[in-house]
Amino acid sequence: MKALQVRIRKVRKGDVDRIVDIERSWHHLSHWSIDSYYRLLNDDSFTSSFVAEIEDEHGRLHIVGFVIFHIAADISEIYNIAVESRTARSGIGKQLMAAAIDESERRHARKVVLEVRKSNNPAINFYLGFDFRIAGERRNYYSNPVEDAYVMELDISD
Ligand SMILES: CC(C)(COP(=O)(O)OP(=O)(O)OC[C@H]1O[C@@H](n2cnc3c(N)ncnc32)[C@H](O)[C@@H]1OP(=O)(O)O)[C@@H](O)C(=O)NCCC(=O)NCCS
């Protein structure tokens, strides 16, 4: 699926349930608790987030993806990014990540960092496409199931 009209906007508090649904549309992946989403998305001073919306044939907007990130000093950390599984691979994730990187540059971050499960090849490939590099590993970083993480970084300092 290609060429969907996508609009990226800042998250609103009422979006949390939809965000949780999108994350859970990936049945085989482990999930954040609903509480973690409420906590992060209700803390305006702490975290930045964007959602992606598409318009249906009746002109109604539907949230189909999100990116949650946090900028502190000169580091921007991506906490989570997901696109509804039905609309995956249509360029929505790319637009969300581009928006997060733009915002990180605008707020003078020097690098964007994230962790990813070593087995999450689609996501690793997605990040490599933005020129993220594998900068390290964290042993047993994830639970449920326990797994190591790659730490990935993108230099945005110039
Ligand atoms: C990772 C994710 C956000 C990508 O979003 P998306 O909208 O499907 O990605 P895009 O369509 O913008 O793809 C951009 C590029 O990423 C790479 N990519 C995306 N999905 C891929 C897959 N399943 N396998 C291999 N490469 C993939 C490709 O290079 C793709 O470009 P192409 O389609 O022109 O080949 C999405 O797969 C997702 O929500 N996954 C589940 C949640 C998750 O794992 N999040 C990461 C947590 S660390």
Side-chain angles (χ1 to χ4, degrees):
M1 203 196 306
K2 284 280 170 193
L4 285 175
Q5 277 293 337
V6 180
R7 188 179 81 144
I8 307 291
R9 67 157 169 84
K10 284 261 180 193
V11 77
R12 300 184 199 121
K13 289 189 168 52
D15 297 335
V16 178
D17 291 346
R18 184 67 194 123
I19 283 172
V20 169
D21 285 349
I22 288 167
E23 202 233 38
R24 278 158 176 64
S25 72
W26 294 88
H27 302 295
H28 65 287
L29 296 180
S30 58
H31 304 297
W32 284 15
S33 72
I34 295 178
D35 271 2
S36 322
Y37 281 107
Y38 273 100
R39 246 182 290 124
L40 277 176
L41 297 171
N42 279 308
D43 188 347
D44 295 334
S45 63
F46 189 63
T47 305
S48 308
S49 307
F50 292 119
V51 294
E53 291 178 320
I54 55 172
E55 197 175 314
D56 69 16
E57 62 275 26
H58 308 291
R60 283 188 297 251
L61 290 167
H62 299 272
I63 298 173
V64 288
F66 67 89
V67 57
I68 301 175
F69 60 108
H70 171 51
I71 303 170
D74 56 1
I75 308 283
S76 174
E77 181 168 4
I78 306 288
Y79 282 25
N80 206 355
I81 180 166
V83 166
E84 184 164 52
S85 56
R86 276 184 300 158
T87 49
R89 211 68 196 261
S90 45
I92 297 167
K94 213 170 185 170
Q95 293 194 49
L96 282 163
M97 182 58 99
I101 293 170
D102 281 356
E103 178 73 0
S104 304
E105 285 173 340
R106 202 182 62 76
R107 289 167 57 186
H108 308 295
R110 295 175 63 81
K111 62 181 177 179
V112 184
V113 300
L114 58 87
E115 278 98 15
V116 58
R117 280 183 185 269
K118 276 189 174 177
S119 63
N120 195 346
N121 288 319
I124 293 167
N125 203 43
F126 172 76
Y127 299 134
L128 290 174
F130 280 89
D131 288 337
F132 277 83
R133 65 180 184 90
I134 294 174
E137 297 185 18
R138 292 200 206 290
R139 293 274 296 157
N140 300 332
Y141 181 78
Y142 292 103
S143 49
N144 222 351
V146 173
E147 190 178 350
D148 298 349
Y150 283 131
V151 179
M152 298 187 76
E153 284 187 6
L154 174 67
D155 184 347
I156 52 166
S157 56
D158 42 23

